């Protein structure tokens, strides 16, 4: 029985790009493309940062502006009523903080489960190329819970490591800032910078560690669990056996995975930003023209102008979100495809599903031939 040839990290790049086209655009349909891209984007932690952190930053800025408004209540008065109000306010703030912390923890756990389940879904879509998200979602309930436990455990270990390394430096930096604040109008900022740079360096190193751990969990631990319903120790033992047999190749693969995926993301992001910039300039020009034409025409025309501008802003925001889905989704499909070919050429159970043996060996060094697929004139089934 023929099996897939063992692919080097460089050899796996061509088939991975081909797989992206097969999964997302064979043939291209915008709705189908966005569906697969959304599933794939939701498996990327950086995508959650795009859709969550920016709104939170906006809310934080708005809250800070509200706190700085003049005439806000002063709970620090010296009389008894002010002291009671200050105590009640502190208790209320603590209660609100505790509730928000609990809600945030629940949201994090739920989003982590969704993140894990969608990784199995994306793996199924890339390997089997059927395009049916609902079917892929329903296959891996039991496996997801095991993978979910691994991800939670890795997250808690990472948070403990973060607290142990960054916590003392951060506390010391706060004490330094407090001491500098008491020096007067022109304090010396060098002590803060002397502590800030090591803090940034630790964050950077811990970020690299998390990227490495996340890549190992997705690329090497998940496939045996998805294909063979392998236990956790079995999935890890397969990876460590591969790492022991050829550590240099595995490290080169992880490096190429990061570099090429980053390059794909940046290239797509530049195209998107240029397009959004052109649309933004055009929208600004149209808005300025409408302002000149409508703003001085009375209340009714002013309301119409505000409504038109709000609609244009919403359209631009929707285009931005769709563009981010397309960028992060395409990069995620590439990473999953690259992982499938690299690991599948060393893991027969995955390789035989990725490239069925009846199709012969995968050709390397020439333009890879497409495996047997449904006619390209027939669109892949949706949902």
């Amino acid at each position: 029985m023929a099996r897939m040839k063992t692919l080097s990290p460089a050899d796996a790049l061509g088939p991975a790009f081909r797989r992206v086209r097969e999964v997302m655009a064979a043939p291209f349909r915008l709705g189908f493309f966005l569906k697969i891209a959304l599933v794939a984007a939701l498996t990327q932690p950086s995508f959650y940062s795009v859709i969550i952190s920016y709104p939170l930053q906006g809310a934080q800025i708005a809250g800070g502006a509200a706190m700085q408004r003049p005439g806000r209540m002063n709970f620090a008065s010296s009389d008894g009523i002010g002291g009671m109000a200050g105590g009640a306010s502190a208790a209320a703030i603590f209660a609100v903080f505790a509730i928000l912390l609990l809600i945030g923890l629940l949201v994090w756990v739920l989003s982590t489960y969704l993140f894990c389940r969608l990784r199995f879904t994306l793996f199924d879509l890339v390997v089997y190329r059927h395009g049916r998200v609902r079917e892929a979602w329903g296959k891996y309930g039991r496996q997801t819970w095991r993978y979910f436990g691994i991800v939670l455990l890795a997250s808690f270990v990472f948070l403990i490591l973060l607290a142990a390394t960054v916590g003392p430096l951060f506390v010391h930096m706060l004490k330094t800032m407090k001491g500098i604040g008491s020096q007067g109008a022109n304090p010396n900022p060098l002590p803060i910078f002397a502590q800030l740079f090591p803090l940034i360096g630790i964050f950077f190193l811990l970020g690299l560690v998390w990227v490495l751990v996340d890549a190992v969990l997705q690329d090497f631990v998940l496939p045996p669990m998805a294909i063979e319903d392998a236990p956790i120790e079995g999935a890890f033992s397969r990876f460590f056996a591969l790492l022991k047999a050829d550590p240099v190749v595995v490290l080169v693969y992880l490096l190429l995975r990061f570099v090429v995926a980053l390059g794909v993301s940046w290239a797509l992001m530049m195209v998107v930003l240029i397009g959004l910039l052109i649309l933004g300039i055009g929208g600004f020009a149209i808005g300025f023209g409408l302002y000149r034409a409508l703003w001085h025409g009375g209340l009714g025309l002013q309301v119409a102008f505000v409504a038109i501008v709000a609609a244009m802003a919403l359209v631009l925001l929707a285009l931005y979100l769709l563009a981010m889905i397309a960028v992060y989704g395409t990069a995620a499909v590439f990473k999953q495809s690259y992982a499938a070919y690299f690991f599948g050429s060393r893991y027969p159970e995955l390789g035989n599903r990725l490239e069925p043996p009846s199709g012969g060996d995968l050709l390397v060094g020439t333009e890879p031939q497409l495996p047997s697929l449904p006619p390209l004139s027939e669109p892949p089934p949706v949902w």
Side-chain angles (χ1 to χ4, degrees):
M1 178 183 292
R3 53 164 290 179
M4 183 188 298
K5 290 181 178 179
T6 301
L7 302 177
S8 70
D11 291 334
L13 287 172
F17 282 111
R18 185 197 67 188
R19 200 71 168 195
V20 173
R21 179 180 66 84
E22 294 172 3
V23 171
M24 305 186 77
F28 180 80
R29 292 190 304 159
L30 182 60
F32 182 81
F33 171 82
L34 290 176
K35 181 188 75 170
I36 302 298
L38 178 60
V39 172
L42 289 172
T43 66
Q44 303 303 300
S46 54
F47 180 71
Y48 288 88
S49 176
V50 169
I51 63 175
I52 293 176
S53 66
Y54 292 167
L56 288 179
Q57 290 176 9
Q60 182 180 6
I61 293 173
M67 292 296 294
Q68 295 298 324
R69 68 183 187 275
R72 64 179 184 271
M73 296 181 65
N74 181 12
F75 295 107
S77 58
S78 58
D79 55 10
I81 297 177
M84 293 174 60
S89 175
I93 291 174
F94 178 79
V96 170
F97 177 77
I99 293 172
L100 291 178
L101 183 62
L102 179 61
I103 293 174
L105 181 62
L106 291 176
V107 170
W108 176 66
V109 171
L110 291 175
S111 62
T112 302
Y113 176 82
L114 174 67
F115 166 84
C116 295
R117 188 68 176 265
L118 287 175
R119 281 197 165 178
F120 280 95
T121 304
L122 176 63
F123 175 82
D124 193 89
L125 293 173
V126 168
V127 171
Y128 300 106
R129 296 168 299 180
H130 51 67
R132 295 185 289 273
V133 174
R134 185 177 301 174
E135 177 183 322
W137 171 275
K139 289 182 180 180
Y140 304 103
R142 182 175 60 255
Q143 295 91 330
T144 298
W145 284 111
R146 294 203 299 272
Y147 188 77
F148 173 65
I150 298 172
V151 173
L152 281 185
L153 179 61
S155 300
F156 282 126
V157 171
F158 180 78
L159 290 176
I160 293 173
L161 183 62
L162 183 67
T165 54
V166 175
L169 289 177
F170 185 73
V171 171
H172 191 266
M173 188 178 70
L174 290 179
K175 293 181 179 179
T176 303
M177 293 175 63
K178 183 177 179 180
I180 290 177
S182 62
Q183 292 180 3
N186 297 309
N188 180 17
L190 291 180
I192 295 181
F193 287 111
Q195 299 178 30
L196 184 61
F197 290 133
L199 200 63
I200 295 175
I202 293 176
F203 272 117
F204 178 75
L205 291 177
L206 289 178
L208 288 180
V209 170
W210 178 253
V211 168
L212 180 63
V213 170
D214 185 63
V216 170
L217 290 178
Q218 181 178 10
D219 297 356
F220 299 104
V221 176
L222 184 147
M225 297 175 69
I227 293 175
E228 302 181 75
D229 198 13
I232 295 173
E233 60 273 14
F236 274 103
S237 65
R238 185 179 293 276
F239 164 70
F240 286 121
L242 175 63
L243 183 64
K244 182 179 179 181
D246 210 342
V248 175
V249 171
V250 174
L251 292 177
V252 171
Y253 158 76
L254 291 171
L255 178 61
L256 275 180
R257 178 190 188 274
F258 175 77
V259 172
V260 177
L262 188 63
V264 170
S265 300
W266 281 1
L268 294 175
M269 192 69 73
M270 289 300 298
V271 174
V272 164
L273 290 179
I274 291 174
L276 290 176
L277 180 62
I278 294 173
L279 290 176
I281 293 174
F284 178 79
I286 294 174
F288 183 75
L290 290 174
Y291 172 79
R292 296 291 300 270
L294 300 178
W295 190 254
H296 301 289
L299 180 61
L301 292 178
Q302 291 178 353
V303 172
F305 168 75
V306 172
I308 293 172
V309 171
M312 292 172 59
L314 289 177
V315 169
L316 190 61
L317 177 61
L319 290 175
Y320 168 77
L321 292 176
L322 291 176
M324 293 301 102
I325 290 172
V327 170
Y328 284 91
T330 302
V333 172
F334 164 74
K335 286 193 287 187
Q336 185 64 75
S337 302
Y338 186 40
Y341 272 99
F342 176 78
F343 191 32
S345 67
R346 293 160 174 82
Y347 175 28
E349 286 78 4
L350 174 57
N352 291 339
R353 289 164 173 79
L354 197 66
E355 297 285 344
S358 59
D361 292 343
L362 182 68
L363 299 178
V364 181
T366 61
E367 180 65 20
Q369 298 177 354
L370 290 175
S372 57
L373 289 171
L376 295 182
S377 59
E378 296 181 7
V382 181
W383 298 100

